[in-house]
Amino acid sequence: MDCIFCKIVSGEIPSVKVYEDDRVLAFMDINPLNHGHLLIIPKAHAATIDEITEADFLAVMSATHKLAAAVKKALSPDGMNLLQLNGKAANQLVPHLHVHIVPRWSGDGLTVSQWEIVAGDMEKIKGVAEKIQSEMGNSK
Ligand code: 5GP
Ligand code: ZN
């Protein structure tokens, strides 16, 4: 398959690896947003959250948890953004699921996650919550 991250998994494209297990690979982002920016991916190709198996997603999340602790110890950031984009509309560039860990320092100037806070319409919020809740088959 013509997928950059599958080629990183197979070794066809080199990468700076930081962690690997049966299901997961983590490597440094080649265009880092900040010092220590890394990516965690499933080894099995899945473009987005709709495609990945629950087992692979849990493995990616578990590795993310461990890597976040390692980044904290290694770099002592003041904070960290975890980012995971799905689909072109969400600005996903590489269609192989990945979680970004972006270490953050106070005053680092990055604009990741600085959205405007605008109060929502409660009727709309409740309506959409009902729709999602009914798909979950859970009325609590
Ligand atoms: P996204 O799809 O979430 O928008 O971001 C894709 C990320 O993959 C970007 O941060 C980009 O820098 C990174 N990336 C793209 N190609 C490569 C590559 O060949 N090697 C590495 N290490 N990172 C890459
Ligand atoms: Zn792939």
Side-chain angles (χ1 to χ4, degrees):
M1 188 191 288
D2 200 23
C3 166
I4 299 174
F5 287 178
C6 282
K7 287 180 181 165
I8 285 179
V9 171
S10 70
E12 215 176 311
I13 293 179
S15 67
V16 180
K17 293 179 188 172
V18 287
Y19 175 78
E20 183 167 12
D21 64 30
D22 288 354
R23 288 180 185 268
V24 174
L25 179 67
F27 53 94
M28 303 313 291
D29 197 296
I30 206 170
N31 310 297
L33 287 173
N34 225 355
H35 188 53
H37 181 179
L38 62 90
L39 302 171
I40 304 106
I41 68 171
K43 285 184 172 175
H45 181 83
T48 60
I49 187 72
D50 314 300
E51 289 186 13
I52 193 169
T53 64
E54 185 179 12
D56 271 351
F57 191 64
L58 290 177
V60 168
M61 286 297 127
S62 171
T64 299
H65 187 245
K66 286 188 194 122
L67 282 154
V71 165
K72 184 154 190 202
K73 276 192 171 168
L75 306 179
S76 304
D78 299 320
M80 236 178 262
N81 285 120
L82 300 188
L83 304 170
Q84 199 278 305
L85 317 181
N86 296 280
K88 281 193 182 141
N91 295 331
Q92 182 182 15
L93 294 176
V94 176
H96 180 130
L97 186 141
H98 48 281
V99 174
H100 299 252
I101 294 184
V102 184
R104 300 296 305 272
W105 286 269
S106 303
D108 63 16
L110 287 190
T111 51
V112 183
S113 79
Q114 280 176 350
W115 52 74
E116 200 186 342
I117 300 290
V118 180
D121 171 338
M122 274 324 287
E123 285 316 305
K124 257 187 163 174
I125 291 171
K126 285 179 188 164
V128 73
E130 257 170 44
K131 254 183 154 170
I132 296 166
Q133 197 178 35
S134 74
E135 290 297 335
M136 293 298 287
N138 174 351
S139 60
K140 274 192 186 171

